Amino acid sequence: MEKLVSSWYKNKPLPESYIFPPETRPGNLTVPTCKTIPVIDLGKAEGRNRTRIVQQICKASEEYGFFQVVNHGVPEDLMKESMDVLKEFFEMPAEDKAVLYSEDPRNRCRLSTSSVNYAREKVHHWRDNLRHPCLPGLEDCIQLWPQKPIRYREVVARFSIEAKKLGSRILEFVAEGLGLEPGYFGGELSEFMQLSVNHYPPCPDPSLTLGIAQHCDPNLVTILHQGDVNGLQVFNNGEWIRVEPLQNAFVVNIGNQLQIISNDKLKSVEHRVVTNSNLARTSAAFFIAPSGDSIIEPAKSLIGQASLYRAFEFKDFLLHYFPNLENNDVVMERFRSQA
């Protein structure tokens, strides 16, 4: 528990173990706000406008690997209540959070500072992280979740259901845009969903550390509610650009598996999170992923003259991903076809 940033950060200088090498630290934080990452209005996706929305989603997925969605159908009051209860979790007394603290990545529900292994990290991230499964079997998953705050399980369960609906809807649009049959991304390709909640306390020197280092997501697609505090940055055309928080919006992030299935038509793009010295930031990311035994390979109708990736089981991808998560080229090269 003493390793949680929120338990010791106040009035303390930045520890050396949180200082990133010069080539990876954010340095000057005046990166441009991206005015071109598309904001897509899903409220216009019915009837004659559907084709245009599908085209917008696929174009954004090809060019940026990211887009934001508004009028997505998730109730605004549920979004606010969910973020309130997640913030409330991190504000609880240390003794209430201690029961969930673990440095073992095999623990299905755990509170830590690391997504992989704290002891093996070269540099630690400036964040506390709570993660747990949501699917399959929501009722069973709920039994693993925090029991405090009292309303956590009820509120986050409703939020999870809505996030899965939104993710499934977006995947249907993607399938349509790629020319795949309806339901292509259903079943075991999107069977699992995990919630990762990141809490970034104010940092004494944001230029030297990161909330999360650069990486691509290993899953199919990520549905992110980033709250109302800046922090998310995306690498695009050789520079880091800031993704401005929009009220009641979700950020959608293309994962590695969707890039592979699309035979590189869609892009999983590197992103990171920076900190700030004044405000705490809390975000909620729903990772939608295949089952471990799922066979991942490019869709046959998208192969054209060459399949760029060999077939593999998703669990094998994860075994290679986590030791190399900050070097996506190394991760993806392992699974490319050897022509």
Side-chain angles (χ1 to χ4, degrees):
M1 272 294 296
E2 70 279 359
K3 294 175 182 176
L4 291 177
V5 176
S6 58
S7 68
W8 56 259
Y9 79 96
K10 293 182 179 179
N11 303 315
K12 296 286 183 67
L14 185 68
E16 185 175 348
S17 59
Y18 287 82
I19 297 176
F20 277 74
E23 65 274 13
T24 58
R25 67 181 63 153
N28 183 358
L29 297 179
T30 57
V31 299
T33 297
C34 181
K35 302 297 186 183
T36 51
I37 284 182
V39 178
I40 299 174
D41 186 348
L42 295 186
K44 299 179 179 179
E46 302 306 323
R48 67 181 66 182
N49 291 320
R50 181 182 176 92
T51 298
R52 183 165 59 87
I53 297 300
V54 167
Q55 292 171 344
Q56 290 177 359
I57 288 174
C58 285
K59 189 172 188 290
S61 301
E62 293 172 14
E63 296 181 0
Y64 298 97
F66 274 79
F67 53 93
Q68 300 201 62
V69 293
V70 295
N71 294 324
H72 38 65
V74 181
E76 293 180 11
D77 58 349
L78 176 59
M79 295 174 68
K80 182 182 185 306
E81 186 178 15
S82 298
M83 296 307 290
D84 285 347
V85 79
L86 294 175
K87 292 175 184 178
E88 187 179 341
F89 170 85
F90 286 101
E91 292 168 356
M92 290 193 309
E95 57 268 24
D96 288 333
K97 294 184 288 188
V99 293
L100 292 171
Y101 183 82
S102 173
E103 295 178 25
D104 185 350
R106 294 172 296 181
N107 281 3
R108 298 180 66 203
C109 178
R110 72 184 185 115
L111 174 66
S112 70
T113 65
S114 170
S115 58
V116 186
N117 190 307
Y118 184 91
R120 295 179 185 175
E121 289 178 343
K122 295 179 182 178
V123 185
H124 302 311
H125 294 155
W126 188 267
R127 60 106 185 241
D128 295 340
N129 174 256
L130 170 68
R131 60 178 56 214
H132 58 67
C134 300
L135 294 172
L138 178 61
E139 292 301 321
D140 292 333
C141 292
I142 287 174
Q143 304 309 312
L144 303 172
W145 295 3
Q147 297 186 51
K148 294 182 179 181
I150 297 300
R151 59 188 180 136
Y152 184 98
R153 293 184 173 185
E154 184 269 326
V155 172
V156 175
R158 289 191 285 120
F159 196 34
S160 300
I161 291 169
E162 294 297 329
K164 183 58 164 68
K165 288 180 183 176
L166 175 58
S168 297
R169 188 181 180 199
I170 289 169
L171 287 170
E172 277 297 298
F173 290 141
V174 170
E176 186 174 332
L178 292 173
L180 302 174
E181 64 267 24
Y184 186 93
F185 293 111
E188 65 177 17
L189 278 182
S190 58
E191 183 177 2
F192 280 77
M193 187 172 76
Q194 182 183 63
L195 173 60
S196 178
V197 187
N198 288 309
H199 178 72
Y200 311 92
C203 178
D205 194 341
S207 68
L208 299 179
T209 192
L210 286 165
I212 301 179
Q214 68 183 65
H215 68 288
C216 291
D217 289 353
N219 49 294
L220 193 65
V221 68
T222 302
I223 307 297
L224 169 71
H225 185 3
Q226 65 167 336
D228 54 6
V229 178
N230 275 309
L232 177 63
Q233 296 181 352
V234 173
F235 198 66
N236 181 263
N237 290 329
E239 66 176 351
W240 288 102
I241 53 180
R242 188 174 59 180
V243 182
E244 194 77 18
L246 299 178
Q247 186 175 10
N248 300 318
F250 284 96
V251 178
V252 180
N253 171 15
I254 302 303
N256 287 143
Q257 305 316 302
L258 198 47
Q259 175 174 333
I260 291 167
I261 292 170
S262 72
N263 208 34
D264 275 358
K265 185 174 178 62
L266 310 183
K267 302 298 181 185
S268 182
V269 173
E270 288 184 319
H271 52 287
R272 69 183 185 183
V273 175
V274 299
T275 62
N276 72 80
S277 58
N278 300 314
L279 299 172
R281 179 177 186 267
T282 302
S283 66
F286 291 94
F287 299 126
I288 298 176
S291 64
D293 294 332
S294 294
I295 302 298
I296 307 298
E297 61 184 333
K300 291 180 172 53
S301 62
L302 301 177
I303 289 175
Q305 295 183 350
S307 177
L308 300 180
Y309 298 91
R310 60 179 176 84
F312 57 87
E313 290 188 346
F314 180 57
K315 61 185 177 184
D316 292 334
F317 185 93
L318 293 178
L319 287 173
H320 183 65
Y321 170 85
F322 285 110
N324 301 286
L325 62 83
E326 294 180 18
N327 192 331
N328 194 60
D329 289 340
V330 170
V331 172
M332 299 296 274
E333 187 63 31
R334 174 72 173 267
F335 300 93
R336 289 190 178 273
S337 297
Q338 303 299 316

PDB file of all heavy atoms in Angstrom, residues 67-78:
ATOM      1  N   PHE A  67     -10.593   8.361 -32.148  1.00  0.00           N
ATOM      2  CA  PHE A  67     -11.619   9.356 -32.417  1.00  0.00           C
ATOM      3  C   PHE A  67     -12.471   9.496 -31.162  1.00  0.00           C
ATOM      4  O   PHE A  67     -12.391   8.661 -30.250  1.00  0.00           O
ATOM      5  CB  PHE A  67     -12.482   8.997 -33.641  1.00  0.00           C
ATOM      6  CG  PHE A  67     -13.102   7.627 -33.606  1.00  0.00           C
ATOM      7  CD1 PHE A  67     -14.377   7.433 -33.094  1.00  0.00           C
ATOM      8  CD2 PHE A  67     -12.415   6.530 -34.117  1.00  0.00           C
ATOM      9  CE1 PHE A  67     -14.953   6.168 -33.076  1.00  0.00           C
ATOM     10  CE2 PHE A  67     -12.984   5.257 -34.103  1.00  0.00           C
ATOM     11  CZ  PHE A  67     -14.263   5.076 -33.585  1.00  0.00           C
ATOM     12  N   GLN A  68     -13.240  10.560 -31.094  1.00  0.00           N
ATOM     13  CA  GLN A  68     -14.165  10.742 -29.983  1.00  0.00           C
ATOM     14  C   GLN A  68     -15.590  10.596 -30.493  1.00  0.00           C
ATOM     15  O   GLN A  68     -15.878  10.926 -31.647  1.00  0.00           O
ATOM     16  CB  GLN A  68     -13.973  12.108 -29.327  1.00  0.00           C
ATOM     17  CG  GLN A  68     -12.576  12.315 -28.759  1.00  0.00           C
ATOM     18  CD  GLN A  68     -12.524  13.395 -27.696  1.00  0.00           C
ATOM     19  OE1 GLN A  68     -13.164  13.272 -26.647  1.00  0.00           O
ATOM     20  NE2 GLN A  68     -11.748  14.435 -27.932  1.00  0.00           N
ATOM     21  N   VAL A  69     -16.472  10.100 -29.637  1.00  0.00           N
ATOM     22  CA  VAL A  69     -17.880   9.964 -30.007  1.00  0.00           C
ATOM     23  C   VAL A  69     -18.752  10.725 -29.019  1.00  0.00           C
ATOM     24  O   VAL A  69     -18.509  10.718 -27.809  1.00  0.00           O
ATOM     25  CB  VAL A  69     -18.333   8.487 -30.080  1.00  0.00           C
ATOM     26  CG1 VAL A  69     -17.640   7.769 -31.234  1.00  0.00           C
ATOM     27  CG2 VAL A  69     -18.067   7.747 -28.769  1.00  0.00           C
ATOM     28  N   VAL A  70     -19.753  11.396 -29.565  1.00  0.00           N
ATOM     29  CA  VAL A  70     -20.755  12.100 -28.762  1.00  0.00           C
ATOM     30  C   VAL A  70     -22.132  11.599 -29.181  1.00  0.00           C
ATOM     31  O   VAL A  70     -22.268  10.907 -30.193  1.00  0.00           O
ATOM     32  CB  VAL A  70     -20.657  13.624 -28.959  1.00  0.00           C
ATOM     33  CG1 VAL A  70     -19.325  14.161 -28.440  1.00  0.00           C
ATOM     34  CG2 VAL A  70     -20.843  14.000 -30.428  1.00  0.00           C
ATOM     35  N   ASN A  71     -23.138  11.905 -28.375  1.00  0.00           N
ATOM     36  CA  ASN A  71     -24.497  11.400 -28.627  1.00  0.00           C
ATOM     37  C   ASN A  71     -24.475   9.889 -28.872  1.00  0.00           C
ATOM     38  O   ASN A  71     -25.074   9.370 -29.808  1.00  0.00           O
ATOM     39  CB  ASN A  71     -25.129  12.135 -29.821  1.00  0.00           C
ATOM     40  CG  ASN A  71     -25.359  13.601 -29.533  1.00  0.00           C
ATOM     41  OD1 ASN A  71     -25.689  13.977 -28.413  1.00  0.00           O
ATOM     42  ND2 ASN A  71     -25.145  14.435 -30.541  1.00  0.00           N
ATOM     43  N   HIS A  72     -23.779   9.203 -27.980  1.00  0.00           N
ATOM     44  CA  HIS A  72     -23.484   7.780 -28.124  1.00  0.00           C
ATOM     45  C   HIS A  72     -24.501   6.873 -27.455  1.00  0.00           C
ATOM     46  O   HIS A  72     -24.433   5.654 -27.593  1.00  0.00           O
ATOM     47  CB  HIS A  72     -22.105   7.500 -27.532  1.00  0.00           C
ATOM     48  CG  HIS A  72     -21.854   8.300 -26.283  1.00  0.00           C
ATOM     49  ND1 HIS A  72     -22.586   8.131 -25.122  1.00  0.00           N
ATOM     50  CD2 HIS A  72     -20.986   9.309 -26.037  1.00  0.00           C
ATOM     51  CE1 HIS A  72     -22.148   8.984 -24.205  1.00  0.00           C
ATOM     52  NE2 HIS A  72     -21.182   9.721 -24.737  1.00  0.00           N
ATOM     53  N   GLY A  73     -25.435   7.454 -26.715  1.00  0.00           N
ATOM     54  CA  GLY A  73     -26.482   6.650 -26.092  1.00  0.00           C
ATOM     55  C   GLY A  73     -26.257   6.295 -24.646  1.00  0.00           C
ATOM     56  O   GLY A  73     -27.178   5.814 -23.971  1.00  0.00           O
ATOM     57  N   VAL A  74     -25.039   6.506 -24.115  1.00  0.00           N
ATOM     58  CA  VAL A  74     -24.808   6.244 -22.697  1.00  0.00           C
ATOM     59  C   VAL A  74     -25.360   7.439 -21.915  1.00  0.00           C
ATOM     60  O   VAL A  74     -24.969   8.582 -22.170  1.00  0.00           O
ATOM     61  CB  VAL A  74     -23.308   6.069 -22.390  1.00  0.00           C
ATOM     62  CG1 VAL A  74     -23.102   5.764 -20.910  1.00  0.00           C
ATOM     63  CG2 VAL A  74     -22.722   4.953 -23.251  1.00  0.00           C
ATOM     64  N   PRO A  75     -26.268   7.220 -20.967  1.00  0.00           N
ATOM     65  CA  PRO A  75     -26.885   8.339 -20.256  1.00  0.00           C
ATOM     66  C   PRO A  75     -25.853   9.226 -19.562  1.00  0.00           C
ATOM     67  O   PRO A  75     -24.923   8.731 -18.908  1.00  0.00           O
ATOM     68  CB  PRO A  75     -27.791   7.645 -19.228  1.00  0.00           C
ATOM     69  CG  PRO A  75     -28.069   6.292 -19.821  1.00  0.00           C
ATOM     70  CD  PRO A  75     -26.821   5.918 -20.545  1.00  0.00           C
ATOM     71  N   GLU A  76     -26.043  10.540 -19.683  1.00  0.00           N
ATOM     72  CA  GLU A  76     -25.099  11.481 -19.097  1.00  0.00           C
ATOM     73  C   GLU A  76     -25.061  11.374 -17.579  1.00  0.00           C
ATOM     74  O   GLU A  76     -23.983  11.473 -16.964  1.00  0.00           O
ATOM     75  CB  GLU A  76     -25.462  12.916 -19.510  1.00  0.00           C
ATOM     76  CG  GLU A  76     -25.278  13.183 -20.998  1.00  0.00           C
ATOM     77  CD  GLU A  76     -25.637  14.606 -21.371  1.00  0.00           C
ATOM     78  OE1 GLU A  76     -25.826  15.438 -20.453  1.00  0.00           O
ATOM     79  OE2 GLU A  76     -25.720  14.891 -22.580  1.00  0.00           O
ATOM     80  N   ASP A  77     -26.209  11.148 -16.956  1.00  0.00           N
ATOM     81  CA  ASP A  77     -26.220  11.052 -15.502  1.00  0.00           C
ATOM     82  C   ASP A  77     -25.474   9.813 -15.021  1.00  0.00           C
ATOM     83  O   ASP A  77     -24.826   9.834 -13.967  1.00  0.00           O
ATOM     84  CB  ASP A  77     -27.644  11.085 -14.959  1.00  0.00           C
ATOM     85  CG  ASP A  77     -28.537   9.979 -15.518  1.00  0.00           C
ATOM     86  OD1 ASP A  77     -28.123   9.312 -16.488  1.00  0.00           O
ATOM     87  OD2 ASP A  77     -29.657   9.780 -14.993  1.00  0.00           O
ATOM     88  N   LEU A  78     -25.512   8.737 -15.803  1.00  0.00           N
ATOM     89  CA  LEU A  78     -24.764   7.532 -15.447  1.00  0.00           C
ATOM     90  C   LEU A  78     -23.263   7.777 -15.593  1.00  0.00           C
ATOM     91  O   LEU A  78     -22.474   7.313 -14.761  1.00  0.00           O
ATOM     92  CB  LEU A  78     -25.191   6.352 -16.320  1.00  0.00           C
ATOM     93  CG  LEU A  78     -24.422   5.054 -16.110  1.00  0.00           C
ATOM     94  CD1 LEU A  78     -24.532   4.576 -14.666  1.00  0.00           C
ATOM     95  CD2 LEU A  78     -24.921   3.963 -17.067  1.00  0.00           C
TER      96      LEU A  78
END
